[in-house]
Amino acid sequence: MKAIVYEKYGSPDVLELKEVEKPSPKENEILIKVHAASLNRGDLPTLRGKPFLFRLMNGLRGPKHNILGDDIAGTVEAVGRNVTQFQPGDEVFGISYFGAFAEYRCVTEYNEPNQSMILKPASLSFEEAAAIPIAAITALQGLRDKGQIQSGQSVLINGASGGVGTFAVQIAKHFGAEVTGVCSTRKMDMVRSIGADHVIDYLEEDFTKSGEQYDLILDVAAYRSIFNYKRSLSSNGIYVCTGGSMGKFFQAMFFGPFVSLRGNKKLGSAGIAKPNQEDFLYLIELFEAGKVVPVIDRSYPLSEVAEALKYLEEGRAQGKVVITVAKE
Ligand SMILES: NC(=O)c1ccc[n+]([C@@H]2O[C@H](COP(=O)([O-])OP(=O)(O)OC[C@H]3O[C@@H](n4cnc5c(N)ncnc54)[C@H](OP(=O)(O)O)[C@@H]3O)[C@@H](O)[C@H]2O)c1
C-alpha cells in the first residue's frame, strides 16, 4: 500500500510517498481502507520532533511511528476473528493516533486511550467525517466536561478560526451560550458565519486588556500568562486551556490549580482529548441535526500531505484541512 512516511524528524519536506507493507488485522482489530484523513496542528511538532517532549513520545533518535495522521474515515475491509462491533463493508470514522496518511490502517474495535472508531452516518461524507474526530472531541470535552458550560453563559473561544475553534464555537452555541470568537482579521467573517455573536481580531485587540469578563474561556491558542486570563474571567468563571504554546499549556495544567486556590475562579487544562464512542455518538446527533457542521478549508490528495502541512503551518487554514486518500 502507499503511505506518507518519515524516517527522520524535520520539515514537511522529509515526508515521502512510499510503498509499505499492507497491515493485516489481529484478532481484535479491523482493517480500514482509508478514504479520508485530516491534519491536526499536533502533526507539526510530531513531524519536527520539537519541542523535545515530542521525541520522548515518539523516539529520541528518529520517529518510531513513521506514518502521521490521527483522524480517519474509511470502509472496513476485513475484521479479526474476535471482532463483534464491525463487519466488512461498514463505513467508520474516528481517532487512531498515527497511521492515517496511508491507504490502510488496522485499529482495535473498542475504545483505547489512543483510539476509538464509530460507524459513520450516511449523511456525512468521508471528508466531513475525517475532519471531525480529534478537533470536535477536544472542543466538546473542553467546553462540556472541564468547562461545565451552561446555557446563557458568556463564552470566549480563543483561537476560534482553527480546527478545534470552529467546532468549539458551534458546540458552545448549541449549549445556548453567547459566544465571542478570537481570531485574525482575515478569518473574522468565517467565525461570524458559524454562529459567533461577537468576534475579536487578536491582531488589533488583546481581549485580556479590554476589561470584558467571561463565564468560560476555552483557550485553543494559549500564548499569555495564566494571570491575564484570570483577569478576564467573571466571578465563578472557568478557564480551560486545550492548546497553544507548550509552556502555557503546562502552566495551565500544573500552575492553574494553585492559581485557582484564591478566589472563586477556576483555571486549568483539559489535558489530552480522550477518544471514546459515547462522545462520538453525542457529536453525530449534533451533525445530523445540522447544529454543527465541519468547516473544511481544503482537501489535498495523499501524495500532497507535505503541501497540506505547510499550508497549515503557515496559518492559512480556516477550520480543517483534509487529505483525500481514495475517491468515494
Ligand atoms: N489537548 C488536546 O488533546 C488537543 C487536541 C487538538 C489540538 N490541540 C492543540 O490545540 C491547538 C489548536 O489546534 P487546532 O487544530 O485548532 O489548530 P489550528 O487549526 O492551527 O488553529 C489555531 C488557532 O489559533 C489561532 N491563533 C493563532 N495565534 C493566535 C493568537 N496569538 N491569539 C489568538 N488566536 C491565535 C488561529 O487563528 P488565525 O488562524 O486566525 O491566526 C487559529 O484559530 C494546538 O496547539 C493543538 O496542538 C490540543
Side-chain angles (χ1 to χ4, degrees):
M1 69 164 186
K2 290 192 174 53
I4 295 291
V5 175
Y6 73 128
E7 306 290 355
K8 58 179 184 187
Y9 294 114
S11 75
D13 293 327
V14 302
L15 294 169
E16 289 176 273
L17 181 67
K18 278 194 168 173
E19 198 64 39
V20 299
E21 198 178 330
K22 181 177 168 182
S24 54
K26 298 194 188 100
E27 46 190 34
N28 61 346
E29 286 184 340
I30 57 176
L31 172 67
I32 299 169
K33 178 177 164 55
V34 182
H35 288 268
S38 78
L39 307 189
N40 287 289
R41 185 146 283 266
D43 295 335
L44 291 161
T46 312
L47 170 64
R48 290 186 177 274
K50 283 183 193 161
F52 192 71
L53 179 67
F54 285 82
R55 288 185 191 227
L56 289 180
M57 295 189 294
N58 194 30
L60 287 180
R61 297 198 176 162
K64 272 193 295 198
H65 300 281
N66 62 0
I67 302 176
L68 290 170
D70 304 331
D71 289 334
I72 291 188
T75 308
V76 176
E77 190 170 280
V79 299
R81 64 193 165 98
N82 292 344
V83 169
T84 56
Q85 280 196 82
F86 301 105
Q87 53 189 5
D90 282 348
E91 295 183 348
V92 294
F93 75 107
I95 297 171
S96 172
Y97 285 121
F98 292 103
F101 301 155
E103 289 180 316
Y104 292 90
R105 172 81 171 121
C106 280
V107 181
T108 59
E109 68 166 331
Y110 288 110
N111 293 339
E112 296 211 353
N114 60 353
Q115 64 176 56
S116 178
M117 302 302 296
I118 193 89
L119 287 173
K120 177 182 86 59
S123 55
L124 287 172
S125 69
F126 284 110
E127 274 78 8
E128 286 170 325
I132 291 167
I134 289 192
I137 287 266
T138 303
L140 176 66
Q141 293 177 355
L143 290 166
R144 182 197 61 189
D145 304 342
K146 189 81 182 174
Q148 295 164 31
I149 189 168
Q150 305 288 330
S151 178
Q153 283 187 325
S154 61
V155 173
L156 180 134
I157 314 291
N158 190 36
S161 54
V164 178
T166 47
F167 286 113
V169 168
Q170 298 178 76
I171 292 171
K173 285 303 296 177
H174 157 70
F175 277 102
E178 179 171 342
V179 177
T180 301
V182 181
C183 63
S184 60
T185 324
R186 200 168 64 80
K187 303 180 186 174
M188 293 173 77
D189 285 345
M190 183 275 289
V191 172
R192 267 187 215 102
S193 76
I194 56 172
D197 301 289
H198 317 279
V199 184
I200 296 173
D201 178 354
Y202 69 78
L203 297 171
E204 297 289 331
E205 185 184 340
D206 179 347
F207 74 89
T208 64
K209 293 186 177 150
S210 67
E212 200 68 45
Q213 292 187 318
Y214 302 90
D215 301 316
L216 172 59
I217 297 175
L218 184 77
D219 198 357
V220 179
Y223 297 111
R224 298 178 179 82
S225 153
I226 202 166
F227 294 102
N228 295 26
Y229 295 118
K230 190 173 186 187
R231 208 167 47 213
S232 300
L233 284 178
S234 54
S235 178
N236 295 312
I238 298 181
Y239 167 84
V240 180
C241 177
T242 70
S245 83
M246 190 64 77
K248 299 297 186 236
F249 182 76
F250 284 123
Q251 186 188 51
M253 183 177 277
F254 297 117
F255 204 44
F258 292 103
V259 176
S260 310
L261 287 175
R262 280 185 64 151
N264 53 12
K265 304 179 180 182
K266 281 204 194 104
L267 296 94
S269 149
I272 302 298
K274 294 148 203 75
N276 68 86
Q277 291 181 324
E278 296 69 30
D279 284 351
F280 279 135
L281 290 172
Y282 185 94
L283 287 165
I284 285 171
E285 274 189 29
L286 298 187
F287 294 117
E288 295 218 289
K291 291 189 172 160
V292 179
V293 178
V295 177
I296 298 178
D297 181 313
R298 285 182 178 198
S299 158
Y300 289 82
L302 182 64
S303 56
E304 291 177 19
V305 167
E307 283 68 30
L309 282 164
K310 287 178 192 169
Y311 183 71
L312 181 71
E313 193 165 38
E314 286 159 7
R316 292 160 66 199
Q318 309 201 27
K320 292 287 295 181
V321 177
V322 166
I323 304 299
T324 303
V325 180
K327 285 260 179 259
E328 277 172 55

